[in-house]
Amino acid sequence: MKFIAGGVAKTEVADTLRPLLREGDTVQVGTDMDAAALLRTGAVDYYLGTCHTGAGASLGVLVGLLGSDRIHTFGRRVPSEADVRAAVDAGKVAFGFALDQVQDVVPLLWAALDAKRQG
């Protein structure tokens, strides 16, 4: 899987995700505009975006360019495993969450996305 991390805590997201990745998986740091272009062309599979609310700046451009059906925000709360699985199973490719939730949300997202990949 290929990820792009964006938003206020993009470096922290990438640093949290890197130790979880399997061989061949990648994460890069970029902007929401980078993410939109890379997702549209298939160069990356998922975007993890952070901002203060987990909804606004982390996802605004992506909603506009990809459509709201491909985007999910967890907002200011730490989601349950079931909430994360539901978003992943619904085919979402861009996820927004609050910058103070990185340590909680990134491992949950990784687990759900990795499980989906494994079938």
Side-chain angles (χ1 to χ4, degrees), residues 33-97:
M33 290 296 291
D34 297 331
L38 294 170
L39 284 165
R40 288 175 79 171
T41 64
V44 298
D45 303 305
Y46 299 101
Y47 171 72
L48 308 181
T50 54
C51 67
H52 293 281
T53 65
S58 67
L59 294 174
V61 167
L62 288 123
V63 169
L65 295 176
L66 298 178
S68 61
D69 60 321
R70 300 185 69 201
I71 313 300
H72 185 80
T73 178
F74 296 111
R76 294 260 339 120
R77 66 182 177 78
V78 174
S80 68
E81 288 181 35
D83 289 340
V84 174
R85 275 194 315 273
V88 168
D89 290 346
K92 307 300 182 181
V93 298
F95 302 91
F97 47 97

Side-chain angles (χ1 to χ4, degrees), residues 1-3 13 16-27 45-46 48 74 81 84-85 88 95 97 102-118:
M1 286 185 286
K2 297 175 187 163
F3 295 87
V13 169
T16 302
L17 186 58
R18 274 190 192 97
L20 304 173
L21 298 177
R22 294 180 181 269
E23 186 175 331
D25 293 339
T26 62
V27 59
D45 303 305
Y46 299 101
L48 308 181
F74 296 111
E81 288 181 35
V84 174
R85 275 194 315 273
V88 168
F95 302 91
F97 47 97
V102 170
Q103 298 300 319
D104 297 311
V105 175
V106 169
L108 288 172
L109 269 169
W110 166 256
L113 292 167
D114 192 43
K116 180 180 179 180
R117 163 176 53 186
Q118 294 181 32

Side-chain angles (χ1 to χ4, degrees), residues 4-16 18 27-32 34 47-51 99 102:
I4 184 167
V8 179
K10 60 188 168 196
T11 302
E12 183 181 354
V13 169
D15 290 346
T16 302
R18 274 190 192 97
V27 59
Q28 64 186 22
V29 173
T31 67
D32 51 355
D34 297 331
Y47 171 72
L48 308 181
T50 54
C51 67
L99 61 96
V102 170

